[in-house]
Amino acid sequence: MINNELNQMSKVKQAVVTAVCIALCVVLPLAFHSIPQAGMIYCPIHIPVLICGLVCSWPFALACGILGPVMSSVITGMPSAAHMPSMIVELTAYALAAALIMKLIHTKNTYADLYISLVSAMLLGRVVAGAAKALIFARGSITIVAWATTYFVTCLPAIAIQLVFIPIVYFALQKANLIPSRYIADEEDIK
């Protein structure tokens, strides 16, 4: 049975979650960028954006997808101004896809809903980012091989981290009653 509380997560609570995720968009890259090429390999800014998309409604996810990289760039210089537009497109695609798919999917199993939404968002975000690079940001200079290498091979560690870490965070937030349970059965499992 679907828990109607999810639809009643207050705008204030969503705004707080979004603000924390935007702050994490600044902090996580700082932690990872001390390692050479860590941004491309571990994609730390993707984690808070995907979490925001899975937890909040699409307007808040959109805000996180846009403001996360902007605030990170303003405060830390990462991403650089040259990479900023493509990062905004990519992260906004992740956040919006996660939020919209999570809203639409109702398998009666939170794990299934979460992984369907997360994997779909990760795939859609990479497709949108690749299309944007090919058509707008690096027009004519990106090949399908370069796209696949950049968005799937190089960041394979990031994909693995996201698939393990994001559900852990989601269920920790749910267990701490910071986000509502998705289904009534989830509330019973938590107790």
Side-chain angles (χ1 to χ4, degrees):
M1 185 171 177
I2 297 173
N3 185 350
N4 287 331
E5 237 182 275
L6 180 64
N7 298 328
Q8 296 174 1
M9 189 168 159
S10 75
K11 290 187 186 320
V12 171
K13 199 172 216 181
Q14 289 184 70
V16 170
V17 169
T18 303
V20 169
C21 288
I22 291 169
L24 287 171
C25 286
V26 175
V27 173
L28 283 178
L30 279 175
F32 278 86
H33 281 286
S34 60
I35 304 165
Q37 301 300 316
M40 290 175 25
I41 296 169
Y42 299 110
C43 306
I45 201 167
H46 295 191
I47 294 169
V49 169
L50 285 163
I51 290 170
C52 187
L54 293 167
V55 171
C56 298
S57 62
W58 73 265
F60 292 96
L62 176 70
C64 186
I66 295 169
L67 294 175
V70 169
M71 294 303 295
S72 182
S73 182
V74 167
I75 294 170
T76 69
M78 301 176 291
S80 66
H83 290 96
M84 175 78 67
S86 63
M87 286 290 295
I88 289 172
V89 168
E90 180 181 7
L91 294 172
T92 301
Y94 289 139
L96 282 174
L100 294 173
I101 295 167
M102 193 68 164
K103 181 179 171 91
L104 293 173
I105 298 293
H106 294 287
T107 64
K108 297 183 179 152
N109 182 308
T110 303
Y111 286 98
D113 292 356
L114 186 60
Y115 274 103
I116 290 168
S117 301
L118 180 58
V119 170
S120 298
M122 290 167 68
L123 289 172
L124 285 169
R126 283 168 169 78
V127 168
V128 167
K133 272 209 172 157
L135 299 173
I136 301 168
F137 302 117
R139 193 171 192 175
S141 66
I142 189 165
T143 65
I144 194 81
V145 172
W147 169 75
T149 302
T150 302
Y151 287 99
F152 291 96
V153 178
T154 304
C155 66
L156 201 54
I159 292 169
I161 289 168
Q162 291 164 12
L163 290 172
V164 171
F165 184 70
I166 291 172
I168 290 170
V169 170
Y170 183 91
F171 287 109
L173 292 171
Q174 188 174 293
K175 187 168 185 158
N177 291 321
L178 295 173
I179 62 172
S181 298
R182 193 158 168 85
Y183 300 104
I184 300 298
D186 289 345
E187 292 176 4
E188 294 165 6
D189 289 343
I190 291 173
K191 293 174 186 174

